[in-house]
Amino acid sequence: MDDVVSRALAIVEESFITSSGPGGQNVNKVATAVQLRLNVFALRLSPPVFNRLKAAAGSRLTSKGEIVLTARNYRTQEANRDDARARLSALLEDAQKEPKTRKKSRLNRVGKEKRIKAKKNRGTIKAGRGKVQF
């Protein structure tokens, strides 16, 4: 798991862009926002992991197979870089985890009888709510 993350952080391309929104001179002059680009095909992931990563990335995955993450929450480049790298590693780690298969639950005879009895009881309560006959 850490192998894929370390490979990804080694081949990721960083570019710094100006942030949007309020902030005055700092936002207009300093390129503090970080944009990470990672070519997913360079990671050579197995097909199930690739499909999970594709689903997790959503619209952040381009048609060329690049994941584009933009971090602009903080005022400094270093903090935004750390945030973007942390988000990328979390995304890759989530894709590595294989989801648990759901096992069909089985209800025993006593449980079935209890459920049917509760349904019948609820039905009689609702049936008693009809119009009152005088």
Side-chain angles (χ1 to χ4, degrees), residues 89-108:
S89 62
L91 192 69
L92 291 170
E93 286 174 5
D94 286 345
Q96 292 286 321
K97 293 177 188 168
E98 194 168 326
K100 292 182 181 178
T101 55
R102 183 186 178 278
K103 294 179 182 169
K104 189 175 180 182
S105 59
R106 281 192 43 135
L107 202 58
N108 57 12

Side-chain angles (χ1 to χ4, degrees), residues 3-13 37-46 50 53 61 64-67 92 96:
D3 179 40
V4 173
V5 174
S6 60
R7 274 190 296 163
L9 293 177
I11 61 172
V12 74
E13 295 175 14
R37 288 185 174 271
L38 173 68
N39 187 349
V40 179
F41 300 120
L43 294 176
R44 302 205 185 280
L45 300 171
S46 63
F50 175 74
L53 180 62
L61 185 67
K64 294 179 182 177
E66 288 184 330
I67 293 179
L92 291 170
Q96 292 286 321

Side-chain angles (χ1 to χ4, degrees), residues 59-98:
S59 62
R60 294 174 288 199
L61 185 67
T62 65
S63 59
K64 294 179 182 177
E66 288 184 330
I67 293 179
V68 179
L69 285 175
T70 305
R72 56 169 60 112
N73 294 335
Y74 302 101
R75 286 180 60 91
T76 62
Q77 274 186 0
E78 293 80 23
N80 282 328
R81 177 189 283 152
D82 293 340
D83 180 41
R85 286 176 171 254
R87 284 173 33 206
L88 180 65
S89 62
L91 192 69
L92 291 170
E93 286 174 5
D94 286 345
Q96 292 286 321
K97 293 177 188 168
E98 194 168 326

